[in-house]
Amino acid sequence: MLEDVLARAHVVALPMRVRFRGVDTREALLIDGPAGWGEFAPFLEYGPAEAAHWLRGALEAAYIGFPTPVRTSVPVNATVPAVKPSQVPEILDRFPGCDTIKIKVAEGDDAARVQAVRDYNPQAIIRVDANQGWTVSEAVAAAKTFGELDYMEQPCATVPELAEVRKHGIRVAADESIRRAEDPYAVAHAGAADVAVVKVAPLGGVSNVLKIADFMHSRGLTITVASALDTAVGMNAGLAAVAALEHINPAGLATQQLFLEDVCEPREIHNGMLDITPQTPDPDRLAEFASPRKHYWFERLRQAWEYL
């Protein structure tokens, strides 16, 4: 089966519109499977054992397919990177109808960036994402300057710190603390979050995300499904997960807006919603954005395969 997977694989390198998570070119291995397209694109810091979860999700999409959806479109949030406040309107214009807005913070003039979002949309539901950038005291101080928040995403690095921030009456979402398949359960047991930000690829695929969501709901947590900087192919899986969930928050799945180019035409946002219909890569785009690092990605896949 490994050779069949490699025979169906395409490796692409896609330019980003803005630098995001330190990435300005997103590389991904895409699998043209009998059930659909799957994406294997673990970030560079993921070793083979962790990358195996990404591979499991890619194989599920390519060879098994997605669960039956209960909705045909899903609400999404806008995402504002750590840009200058003057750039906020230009970015938010790409997210028509999105009243839930996630803002990257702990970098630059955070308060001014948050205020620029409020000036653009006074009715906005604000999420801020610090990407582990603060201590507990810094997170508490920042929350006081931002005004009302939906939640503060991963303000600190460790699970105990997240639990400590919650004690100050701040709604906390765990993101980086849920990077491995077993992490959601540890976060829930520690009482460290109100919201679990789950990403289909690192958690092993859509079916596993649905199991995690059931567990989280039983513990009183809600779920936000987000992108792991997915291409259009990976976005198919994220949307399939939200479409199959009973209880949903606006999802962090409108990140195609961060790409200059993708393997498909960008999904259009209508009134803050995305259609869940799976997209199929354009052969011309696969050729145009073919990565010269095909052998590197084939080797990463082989190494991850050993941990399945």
Side-chain angles (χ1 to χ4, degrees):
M1 188 177 175
L2 173 59
E3 293 310 313
D4 183 69
V5 172
L6 295 175
R8 296 173 178 272
H10 302 260
V11 180
V12 295
L14 304 173
M16 304 295 298
R17 191 180 303 276
V18 293
R19 192 172 182 84
F20 195 81
R21 285 183 60 101
V23 174
D24 50 28
T25 300
R26 182 67 167 127
E27 292 186 332
L29 184 151
L30 309 179
I31 304 166
D32 182 6
W37 283 78
E39 176 173 310
F40 174 69
F43 296 119
L44 298 183
E45 66 267 24
Y46 281 71
E50 291 178 332
H53 295 291
W54 296 66
L55 180 54
R56 187 172 290 108
L59 296 177
E60 176 190 58
Y63 287 87
I64 299 172
F66 300 132
T68 302
V70 298
R71 57 184 60 84
T72 59
S73 61
V74 302
V76 292
N77 67 248
T79 299
V80 176
V83 297
K84 296 178 181 178
S86 61
Q87 295 176 269
V88 166
E90 171 195 350
I91 290 170
L92 289 180
D93 284 344
R94 303 182 194 131
F95 298 91
C98 293
D99 289 328
T100 299
I101 302 172
K102 182 170 83 168
I103 308 165
K104 294 291 184 178
V105 291
E107 184 177 345
D109 192 348
D110 297 334
R113 192 178 309 113
V114 172
Q115 187 57 49
V117 170
R118 294 194 190 278
D119 292 341
Y120 181 94
N121 182 354
Q123 306 304 315
I125 298 169
I126 303 292
R127 300 168 175 175
V128 296
D129 182 5
N131 289 119
Q132 311 175 82
W134 289 323
T135 64
V136 171
S137 60
E138 288 170 338
V140 172
K144 293 177 181 178
T145 70
F146 293 152
E148 185 176 353
L149 298 175
D150 183 22
Y151 56 68
M152 182 175 280
E153 184 172 320
Q154 200 69 41
C156 308
T158 69
V159 169
E161 286 175 317
L162 298 184
E164 190 65 28
V165 172
R166 287 191 72 220
K167 293 179 181 178
H168 291 269
I170 300 168
R171 273 174 51 85
V172 170
D175 180 12
E176 282 83 357
S177 290
I178 304 178
R179 62 172 291 179
R180 295 173 301 179
E182 65 272 18
D183 288 346
Y185 305 99
V187 167
H189 287 305
D194 302 279
V195 180
V197 180
V198 297
K199 299 173 181 177
V200 171
L203 295 177
V206 174
S207 296
N208 201 39
V209 165
L210 298 184
K211 293 176 184 176
I212 291 168
D214 285 342
F215 170 79
M216 290 296 185
H217 184 66
S218 73
R219 302 281 299 195
L221 282 78
T222 59
I223 294 287
T224 297
V225 177
S227 163
L229 206 54
D230 302 319
T231 75
V233 170
M235 201 63 65
N236 290 340
L239 290 167
V242 183
L245 286 170
E246 181 180 357
H247 306 282
I248 61 171
N249 285 323
L253 295 174
T255 52
Q256 276 184 287
Q257 308 299 320
L258 301 174
F259 286 78
L260 269 176
E261 300 287 352
D262 205 338
V263 293
C264 307
E265 286 291 332
R267 295 175 185 270
E268 292 189 11
I269 303 171
H270 295 287
N271 296 320
M273 308 283 284
L274 283 178
D275 185 272
I276 69 162
T277 305
Q279 289 186 308
T280 301
D282 181 337
D284 290 339
R285 288 173 179 258
L286 290 174
E288 180 179 358
F289 298 108
S291 171
R293 301 208 314 153
K294 176 179 178 179
H295 295 297
Y296 166 81
W297 280 96
F298 275 29
E299 182 57 28
R300 286 199 77 185
L301 191 150
R302 288 190 182 97
Q303 292 176 4
W305 187 272
E306 298 299 318
Y307 288 86
L308 290 179

